[in-house]
Amino acid sequence: MDRSLLAIVRGREARQDPAWLAGLPDYINWWNLRGDARYRTDADLRLPPDQPTPTADALPRGAILDVQAGLSAAGQSWEMPRHFFTWNGARWSRAPANAAGGPPTDPRLGSVAQRWERYEAAAVTAGQLLVISDHSFNDRAAFLLGPGRGPAMPLWLPLDDESPWSLVQLAGTEAGEAYLCTYDALFRWGEGRWEEQDLPEGRIASCAGTADGTQWLVVAREVADAAPSRRRPELLHRPRGGAWSAVPLPGGAWPVRVAASGERLWINASAGETRSPSRFEVYSNAPVELPLMLGEVQIPWWHDPEGREHDPPAVGDWPPGPATSACTSPVVYLGRSLTPALQSALRKHTETEGLPLVEVEGTAHGKTSEVWSGPNKPRGLRYHPTRARVRGVAILPATASDGIRIAELLAPDLPDLPPRVVCAKPRIRP
C-alpha cells in the first residue's frame, strides 16, 4: 500500500533502514481513495540483474525506482511525468529516461536497447546478461551481452511471429539458467539454447526458477460454475524432471507474482480476490525472524472517517515509511503540537510515563496543480515541492512494536489526529 516500505531480507534477517528513502519525493506515499478524488503512486523497484545478492544492510548500488503518480477526480485524470531514481549508495537521484521514455538502461545495452520502452534483463553465467524486449511487434528481440562493453550477440526467440504475445517475465537463476514466460508459453534458457517446457492448464501470470532446478509458476485458471472471464490464480511448482503440482498458500491467499534468488523463493500474494484485496502479503519458503506486518497506525498517508486528508508526518528531511518490526529508527508521531487532548491522553495512559517527548522538525508536504491543454482536456499534473519546515511532537520508542502498542493505546482518545508509527530519521530540535 505504501511505496515507502523498503526493506531487505536476507536469510532469516530483515532490515528496514530509513536512510534508504533519502532523495525520494514525498508523493511516494500517495494513496488516497476518498470519494471521487484518487491520488495514487505506482513504484517499481529494479535491482541490477548482474550484481551479487545484496547484503542485509546495504541497498545495491545502481538500483532503479520507477515512479508514476497521478490523480483522478470528477471523471478526469491527470498524470505526472514518469520519473526514474537511481541509488548511488547514499541516496536516490533523478535519472534520465532512455530514448523511448523507459527506464535507464545498463551501459552495455548501448545501441540495442535505447529505443526500448519495455524490456526484461536477467543475469545468467559469468557476467552474461540476457535481454528481451517486447516494445512492439517489430521490436521483439533477444540479445546475450557479455561482461564489459563488447558486441551484443542476437539470439533467436522461440516465439511464433504470426501470433500476438506479451512478455510476462524473464527470470534468471544462479545456476546459469533463465526462464522466459509469456501468457501461454514457458521456455528455459541453458547451455546456450532455448528449450520449451510443458505447461499445465491456465494462463501464466508469473514465473521463476530456483538454483536447484525447480520451476515455479503463477497460473490463472478458470473457476468452475463462474463466468468464463473469472479466473483464480494458483501457485505451481515442478522439480527438475518431475511433474507440476499445486502449492497452496496459508489462509487461502491468492498468489500474484513469484520471484527467486538462489534457493530462496518469494511470493507476492493478496488476501482475498486480486481485484479487491483486503491486504497484500509476501511469503517465502524459508522463515524470517521479524515478519513485516502493517496495521492502520503504521500507514503514513491516510484519511479519517470524515474524509479529511492527513499528510504523512513531517519528522525529518525525507519521506517516512511505515515502521515494521525491522525498522532501525521507529518514530511515534503525535501531531504538530502538544494539544490539551494529547496531554489528557498521555495522562490517562500511565504506560506512557517515562517516555520522553521530543520536538521534531521536517519538510512540509508539497502541493499539486493541474495542467490543461484546453477546456475539459487535462494534460498532466505538476508537483510543487516545498522547503518549508514544520514542527511536531513525537515519542522515540525502542522498537516498532513498542511504538505500535503506544499508538494503539492513544488512538481512541485522539480521533481527529491519531498517532502514526513511521520509520524515519528524525530531526530533533534542541
Side-chain angles (χ1 to χ4, degrees), residues 79-426:
E79 296 289 336
M80 272 206 286
R82 186 180 180 189
H83 290 154
F84 300 98
F85 299 84
T86 57
W87 180 253
N88 65 8
R91 60 171 290 164
W92 295 96
S93 301
R94 280 278 300 276
N98 66 19
T105 55
D106 185 293
R108 288 178 293 170
L109 299 182
S111 61
V112 303
Q114 290 301 317
R115 69 184 187 276
W116 295 348
E117 180 178 357
R118 297 187 304 273
Y119 69 90
E120 293 272 348
V124 282
T125 60
Q128 289 181 325
L129 199 64
L130 179 62
V131 185
I132 294 179
S133 162
D134 71 337
H135 176 58
S136 69
F137 183 88
N138 294 325
D139 268 346
R140 298 175 184 174
F143 292 89
L144 190 64
L145 304 173
R149 295 176 178 266
M153 182 177 73
L155 296 179
W156 169 72
L157 270 177
L159 299 163
D160 183 0
D161 287 339
E162 300 301 321
S163 61
W165 69 278
S166 180
L167 175 66
V168 173
Q169 197 172 349
L170 178 66
T173 78
E174 294 182 5
E177 300 173 317
Y179 293 96
L180 162 66
C181 56
T182 70
Y183 288 126
D184 57 2
L186 174 67
F187 300 90
R188 172 187 173 272
W189 168 265
E191 297 84 41
R193 66 179 187 275
W194 293 105
E195 183 180 52
E196 187 168 4
Q197 307 292 291
D198 294 332
L199 276 182
E201 180 186 355
R203 187 175 185 180
I204 299 176
S206 182
C207 63
T210 47
D212 62 359
T214 301
Q215 299 174 1
W216 295 85
L217 290 178
V218 175
V219 173
R221 291 179 168 175
E222 293 185 3
V223 179
D225 303 323
S229 61
R230 187 173 178 82
R231 298 172 181 267
R232 180 186 176 94
E234 288 187 348
L235 177 66
L236 306 177
H237 87 301
R238 176 172 64 180
R240 191 186 298 275
W244 290 106
S245 61
V247 181
L249 294 180
W254 289 26
V256 176
R257 188 175 176 87
V258 62
S261 176
E263 301 287 347
R264 193 71 174 265
L265 188 76
W266 300 96
I267 303 104
N268 179 23
S270 65
E273 294 191 26
T274 54
R275 292 182 180 178
S276 56
S278 58
R279 65 183 184 275
F280 286 98
E281 299 171 333
V282 177
Y283 294 91
S284 175
N285 61 345
V288 177
E289 291 180 353
L290 298 173
L292 307 183
M293 308 290 289
L294 288 183
E296 183 66 27
V297 298
Q298 298 157 269
I299 306 301
W301 178 296
W302 83 105
H303 57 275
D304 60 29
E306 296 183 8
R308 293 171 295 186
E309 297 178 19
H310 297 278
D311 291 343
V315 300
D317 295 327
W318 307 114
T324 71
S325 55
C327 176
T328 59
S329 179
V331 178
V332 181
Y333 179 76
L334 301 174
R336 293 286 182 88
S337 62
L338 190 60
T339 63
L342 177 56
Q343 291 177 336
S344 175
L346 291 172
R347 287 194 299 267
K348 175 181 176 181
H349 297 284
T350 57
E351 299 91 335
T352 63
E353 291 182 3
L355 296 175
L357 293 176
V358 297
E359 186 178 26
V360 294
E361 184 179 78
T363 303
H365 198 70
K367 304 298 181 182
T368 59
S369 62
E370 295 87 12
V371 180
W372 298 78
S373 58
N376 298 320
K377 293 183 179 179
R379 191 178 72 186
L381 192 67
R382 182 176 293 131
Y383 187 74
H384 307 277
T386 177
R387 295 184 179 180
R389 311 295 291 184
V390 293
R391 299 178 184 178
V393 179
I395 291 174
L396 305 182
T399 66
S401 297
D402 291 341
I404 294 169
R405 179 177 53 83
I406 294 168
E408 290 177 342
L409 280 174
L410 298 175
D413 299 303
L414 302 169
D416 292 334
L417 192 64
R420 299 284 105 180
V421 188
V422 295
C423 191
K425 185 177 181 180

